[in-house]
Amino acid sequence: MTDLNVGVLGTGMVGEAIATRLVEVGYDVVMGSRDAANPKAVAWAERTGGRAGTFADAAAHGPLLFNATPGGASLDVLRAAGDLAGKVLADISNDLTSAAVKPVAAGLQAAFPELKVVKTLNTVNCEIMVRPDLLSQPHTMFVAGDDTDAKALVKGVLAKFGWPERDVLDLGGIDKAFAMEQYLPLWLALWGVKGDLRFNLSVVS
Amino acid sequence: MTDLNVGVLGTGMVGEAIATRLVEVGYDVVMGSRDAANPKAVAWAERTGGRAGTFADAAAHGPLLFNATPGGASLDVLRAAGDLAGKVLADISNDLTSAAVKPVAAGLQAAFPELKVVKTLNTVNCEIMVRPDLLSQPHTMFVAGDDTDAKALVKGVLAKFGWPERDVLDLGGIDKAFAMEQYLPLWLALWGVKGDLRFNLSVVS
């Protein structure tokens, strides 16, 4: 287990985009799902040179995990992931139904006090998450979490994905994560009028 | 009653900023509150050449009203405002407590089906609402409402306040207003880290 080992929880479109880009920029990645033989994860591993495993395999693989599971399922996923003490979880999930936005990151942090949860990347489409240079102008990525070292680790990955340091805005503790999550209805409305997923916010002064 | 007559509901910092700017750009304004003798409204009227009155006086004054009351109080204010049928309400309010963001505009529209509710301006500080040119770069103002003519009327006021047409983004019907309202926690978090109220979002492609 090295500092370049990353576990990605989730095999959906977001998990695949993150895991693929992590491999691309030099990380050793295990994509975790409920079943180590998950066909999507196995196909991804064959295609990229990453590995497929269970949630516990992914969690055991390295010091940094990405939560790319649906927000409403994330707590159960982490409960299936074994010992998480001391690990950093970059939580990029959302839990949005037509009825309401529910908090994810703060709940995960409360349930796993020894896990260092960092909220980020949940405010853009997965293509923009890993290729911020696809937009024509500078745009902002938010980060929130209680542990400074954990945030530095995650910011390092953001930098490798192509997020310039000046565009990464640290909002403070994990109590700020729900503010990021509550932006999602506006993101959906913007998607509706723009008809394209390639957009993001820039905070302008 | 002319098309330049505007009623402003609310005498707080936001109501005063809006009412003052409306007078400045040429509107005939009545600032409404529960009590026609409200000292803040009377002082504002003396200072600006506007007039002070009750909520009903403000509502009766013209075809366009601004709701600058706290979101949680707005329904009661409108109930005290007399006949609102056919009028346009620019709802710039928010209802945000530490516990939750509650919808305002959609609730007002449901309670007063013959009022044409247009959500706008709730995503910036009141100084930026009326002086968008205070920021150094282009930035975005959202608008949502069911009635196209009502939105055109409100967009006309935004233009007089200094919002360039290209920066005003129409999100669609009043069902999109809650998305704008749910941005407020993120706005508060941004205020916290920036330490300054002079900021806004720009939607970047």
Side-chain angles (χ1 to χ4, degrees):
Chain A
M1 171 167 133
T2 80
D3 281 359
L4 288 174
N5 286 11
V6 180
V8 173
L9 309 173
T11 62
M13 199 167 64
V14 177
E16 184 176 325
I18 291 285
T20 301
R21 181 71 164 145
L22 284 165
V23 170
E24 199 174 282
V25 299
Y27 291 94
D28 183 324
V29 180
V30 172
M31 181 187 271
S33 56
R34 267 185 212 292
D35 176 2
N38 178 309
K40 281 165 73 182
V42 170
W44 169 84
E46 284 173 2
R47 205 164 54 241
T48 61
R51 276 184 291 145
T54 61
F55 288 132
D57 292 334
H61 181 55
L64 173 61
L65 312 176
F66 274 79
N67 177 31
T69 65
S74 298
L75 203 50
D76 282 346
V77 167
L78 291 190
R79 284 185 182 129
D83 183 15
L84 300 172
K87 291 185 184 282
V88 174
L89 180 77
D91 175 33
I92 63 178
S93 72
N94 287 295
D95 186 4
L96 177 68
T97 64
S98 59
V101 184
K102 292 182 192 158
V104 182
L108 299 180
Q109 185 61 84
F112 296 90
E114 292 177 34
L115 178 68
K116 299 162 184 171
V117 180
V118 178
K119 189 85 200 184
T120 195
L121 291 178
N122 72 303
T123 54
V124 293
N125 171 256
C126 59
E127 192 185 29
I128 305 299
M129 289 182 189
V130 299
R131 289 288 311 279
D133 60 324
L134 287 172
L135 303 190
S136 61
Q137 297 168 67
H139 53 108
T140 306
M141 180 43 59
F142 308 109
V143 173
D146 289 340
D147 188 284
T148 304
D149 292 341
K151 286 195 282 194
L153 184 65
V154 172
K155 288 173 189 173
V157 178
L158 293 180
K160 290 200 180 178
F161 284 179
W163 290 92
E165 194 181 340
R166 63 157 199 277
D167 295 333
V168 176
L169 190 53
D170 191 332
L171 295 177
I174 200 69
D175 61 312
K176 297 299 186 291
F178 192 34
M180 294 165 60
E181 294 162 349
Q182 285 174 294
Y183 159 65
L184 261 286
L186 185 54
W187 181 86
L188 283 174
L190 290 169
W191 179 20
V193 291
K194 297 186 79 70
D196 187 312
L197 292 155
R198 290 190 177 183
F199 67 88
N200 189 17
L201 305 176
S202 175
V203 179
V204 171
S205 294
Chain B
M1 174 168 132
T2 80
D3 281 359
L4 288 174
N5 285 12
V6 179
V8 174
L9 308 172
T11 62
M13 201 166 62
V14 178
E16 185 176 325
I18 291 285
T20 300
R21 182 71 164 143
L22 283 166
V23 170
E24 200 173 284
V25 299
Y27 291 95
D28 183 324
V29 181
V30 173
M31 179 186 271
S33 57
R34 264 183 214 293
D35 176 1
N38 178 307
K40 281 165 71 182
V42 170
W44 169 84
E46 285 172 1
R47 205 162 57 240
T48 59
R51 274 183 292 145
T54 61
F55 287 133
D57 292 334
H61 181 57
L64 174 61
L65 312 177
F66 274 80
N67 177 31
T69 64
S74 299
L75 203 51
D76 282 346
V77 167
L78 291 190
R79 284 185 181 129
D83 183 16
L84 300 173
K87 289 184 186 285
V88 174
L89 180 78
D91 176 33
I92 63 178
S93 73
N94 288 295
D95 186 5
L96 178 67
T97 64
S98 59
V101 184
K102 292 183 191 157
V104 183
L108 299 180
Q109 185 61 83
F112 296 91
E114 293 178 31
L115 178 69
K116 298 161 184 172
V117 180
V118 178
K119 190 84 200 184
T120 195
L121 291 178
N122 72 304
T123 53
V124 293
N125 172 256
C126 59
E127 191 184 30
I128 305 300
M129 289 183 190
V130 300
R131 290 288 310 278
D133 60 323
L134 287 171
L135 303 190
S136 61
Q137 297 167 68
H139 52 107
T140 306
M141 178 45 58
F142 308 109
V143 173
D146 289 338
D147 188 285
T148 304
D149 292 341
K151 286 196 280 193
L153 184 65
V154 171
K155 287 173 189 175
V157 178
L158 293 180
K160 288 200 181 178
F161 284 179
W163 290 91
E165 194 181 339
R166 64 157 198 277
D167 294 335
V168 176
L169 190 53
D170 191 332
L171 295 177
I174 201 68
D175 61 312
K176 297 298 186 291
F178 192 35
M180 293 165 60
E181 293 161 351
Q182 284 173 294
Y183 160 65
L184 262 286
L186 185 54
W187 181 86
L188 284 173
L190 290 169
W191 178 19
V193 291
K194 297 187 79 71
D196 186 312
L197 292 156
R198 291 191 177 184
F199 67 87
N200 190 17
L201 306 176
S202 176
V203 180
V204 171
S205 293

